[in-house]
Amino acid sequence: KMSWYNELGVKYRKSLLEDSDSSFLPSRGFKLKTELRYYFKAHHASGLDGWYLGANGFFTRDLHNTNILYRKDNDSTTLTSDVFGTKKNVFGLNLLMGYQKNISGKFAIEAYWGFGIRFRDIHTINREFDKNRDDFVKPVDLNIPSLRDETDANAGFGVMPNLTLGFRICYKF
């Protein structure tokens, strides 16, 4: 009724969200995740199947370059561009609910969702933007790339809620 799931991911190429032409940092990173699961039904002959409750912990390290627009110290007319390197470490814990379905002897599919907490520690290299003096220029329409850029520009340590949702195709050894 119990299983232990582990995951390792490596960032092997630049993200589509990275549009800067500078290279203060190489674009790289990795993710580690470990998850303990309790299945509500016993083993089937083909393996674990059905609804499960889980808890996971994760750590992500991401290095990339960020390009932002801002207005300098009370200058409402001039836009300034800043390109800087970002080192981001994120660790967190989640409670999960999921469903796993065996589709053959070696393959399974699963869907999961959950919530938890994440701790973010962001450091920048060669950043000129000063969050206490300058104004970050936000787009008219809210979007994920601008939210990431604003988070990178403000840097520092932060605690946030974490929502997770996913779908996996699994191969069992």
Side-chain angles (χ1 to χ4, degrees), residues 12-32:
Y12 59 90
R13 70 174 194 84
K14 194 173 176 177
S15 166
L16 295 175
L17 300 178
E18 295 177 55
D19 63 352
S20 71
D21 61 354
S22 296
S23 58
F24 293 113
L25 290 172
S27 182
R28 64 179 177 189
F30 65 89
K31 182 174 187 170
L32 301 169

Side-chain angles (χ1 to χ4, degrees), residues 53-120:
L53 185 63
N56 75 23
F58 64 90
F59 175 78
T60 303
R61 172 166 290 153
D62 182 31
L63 280 68
H64 61 271
N65 294 292
T66 303
N67 184 9
I68 66 164
L69 291 175
Y70 68 99
R71 297 189 194 283
K72 274 188 165 295
D73 194 23
N74 297 323
D75 180 359
S76 63
T77 59
T78 307
L79 283 178
T80 304
S81 177
D82 189 7
V83 179
F84 53 90
T86 304
K87 294 180 180 180
K88 187 183 301 186
N89 291 324
V90 180
F91 52 100
L93 301 167
N94 291 309
L95 291 175
L96 305 167
M97 186 72 178
Y99 185 80
Q100 181 173 315
K101 176 71 176 158
N102 291 306
I103 54 176
S104 76
K106 292 282 188 181
F107 288 94
I109 57 172
E110 73 175 65
Y112 64 92
W113 58 94
F115 65 93
I117 189 166
R118 79 174 32 218
F119 304 90
R120 232 179 13 205

Side-chain angles (χ1 to χ4, degrees), residues 88-155:
K88 187 183 301 186
N89 291 324
V90 180
F91 52 100
L93 301 167
N94 291 309
L95 291 175
L96 305 167
M97 186 72 178
Y99 185 80
Q100 181 173 315
K101 176 71 176 158
N102 291 306
I103 54 176
S104 76
K106 292 282 188 181
F107 288 94
I109 57 172
E110 73 175 65
Y112 64 92
W113 58 94
F115 65 93
I117 189 166
R118 79 174 32 218
F119 304 90
R120 232 179 13 205
D121 191 21
I122 302 171
H123 297 278
T124 58
I125 296 169
N126 291 343
R127 181 186 66 190
E128 295 173 6
F129 171 80
D130 182 346
K131 67 181 177 181
N132 297 319
R133 188 184 65 226
D134 302 326
D135 293 320
F136 181 83
V137 175
K138 296 179 182 180
V140 174
D141 298 320
L142 183 66
N143 61 65
I144 291 173
S146 70
L147 290 173
R148 187 195 80 149
D149 291 347
E150 185 174 12
T151 300
D152 290 352
N154 288 320

